[in-house]
Amino acid sequence: MTMRRVLPWALLLLAVAAVTWWASRPPAVPAVQVQTGPLVRSLQFSARVAAQSRVDVGATLTGRVATVAVREGDEVAAGAPLLRLEDDEARAALAQAEAQLAQARAAREGAGGSRLRAAEAQLAQAEAQRVAALADRQRTADLVARGFLSPARDDEAARALAVADAQAAAARAQRDALATRGSERVQADAAVAAAEAAVAAARARLMQTVVRAPTAARVLQRAVEPGQIVQPGRALLTLALAGPVELVAQVDERFLDELRVGQTATVVADAFPREPFGATLQRIAPRVDAQRGAVDLHLRPEAAPPFLREDMTLAVAVVTARRDRALVMPLAALRAGDEAWVVHDGRVNARRLKLGLRSDAGVEVLEGLVEGDWVMLGDQPAPGQRAQAVAAALPTPGSTGGMGAAGAAMTQAIGR
């Protein structure tokens, strides 16, 4: 047989062999390799910046605003004036009250002062007469006893002493009445007390024309201008009291079992996605909002950056669990019943798994796989059929959706 006749048959045989080999080759399936590494589970949500306390400040009087001393964003010290009302009327009322007080004090002095001094002088005279009468009685009694005077003389001395005692008692009673219990004195004292109270009230009203900061604070909102008529009960300024900044968030109550006070978090602002900062979960509200089914969380920044603003929206990722070294399988490869399909020795095998910690992208495998195993991502071929693993790219976790630029940066920020 010549070469010309053999060559076509040889080429045909080679083609048939190639087709047979191609047809018998295991199909390529997308798969990923199980690896050992760190695994972090985090809970992501939105939060807002809030001062620990904020107050609305207003006037306690009805009046016209004379000046407003602050603008939004100003830092104020405790007691610093925030605004002033026109105070002409209040100053005039204080001057009138002070004049009435001076008049009442003068009237009290005129009503009881001179009479009291006269009564005290009369009492002093009566006491002196009593002392003289007592001494005369003692001398008379001694002379009567020695026989120099008659007993009648002793009776006269005794009567004189009794009269002196009665006069002294009457003078003392008159002095006491004028000093403490006299009706004129009581009325004069009451008039002075009323005038003093009127002065205190007028002075307090004048002080109320100046609205002051209750403590060190920052002005968040100003809703008043000079010339405006204001009334009690209306908020004119909103202040954020000085103190540590908090991050406040509402989280669905179904995540309560994952949250613990003291957990760390990474925070990113939409406006500053390249400047993440740390925070710590400080407090979990003791009650659940029944209408929204959510619980309030309060976080404290470790070092609050200067760009934070009141009510700014932030993306927060709280680390709720961590494994420094775990056998991790992509969550996309996990099948119903905690099962995975493994490509081994050219065939697909179904493996039942014992799982541990889960994140939004991966799951910890405790039993059922070893490092280096190839787990399938697709649904074909089925277990028992031939297959060839081909490395596939993992899908991007979808838990950051709806959180803006901060959410897009969060996965990198928390080291996932």
Side-chain angles (χ1 to χ4, degrees), residues 252-276:
D252 195 294
E253 61 181 312
R254 59 193 175 96
F255 296 112
L256 270 174
D257 63 329
E258 300 181 17
L259 295 168
R260 301 289 185 274
V261 171
Q263 289 173 336
T264 59
T266 300
V267 186
V268 179
D270 276 342
F272 302 91
R274 298 182 182 275
E275 300 184 45

Side-chain angles (χ1 to χ4, degrees), residues 100-189:
Q100 291 175 346
L101 174 60
Q103 182 179 1
R105 286 173 175 170
R108 180 178 64 179
E109 183 69 18
S114 59
R115 295 181 60 186
L116 177 59
R117 286 192 295 271
E120 289 174 345
Q122 186 176 358
L123 174 61
Q125 182 179 4
E127 288 285 354
Q129 291 175 352
R130 177 183 175 281
V131 171
L134 178 61
D136 182 65
R137 169 70 192 285
Q138 291 174 346
R139 285 194 304 270
T140 300
D142 181 61
L143 293 174
V144 169
R146 295 168 60 183
F148 292 103
L149 295 175
S150 64
R153 183 70 180 82
D154 184 53
D155 293 339
E156 292 177 3
R159 286 194 296 272
L161 177 59
V163 171
D165 284 340
Q167 290 176 344
R172 186 177 297 106
Q174 184 177 7
R175 192 277 313 271
D176 291 344
L178 290 173
T180 59
R181 296 185 298 275
S183 60
E184 292 183 4
R185 178 75 180 191
V186 171
Q187 292 177 358
D189 287 343

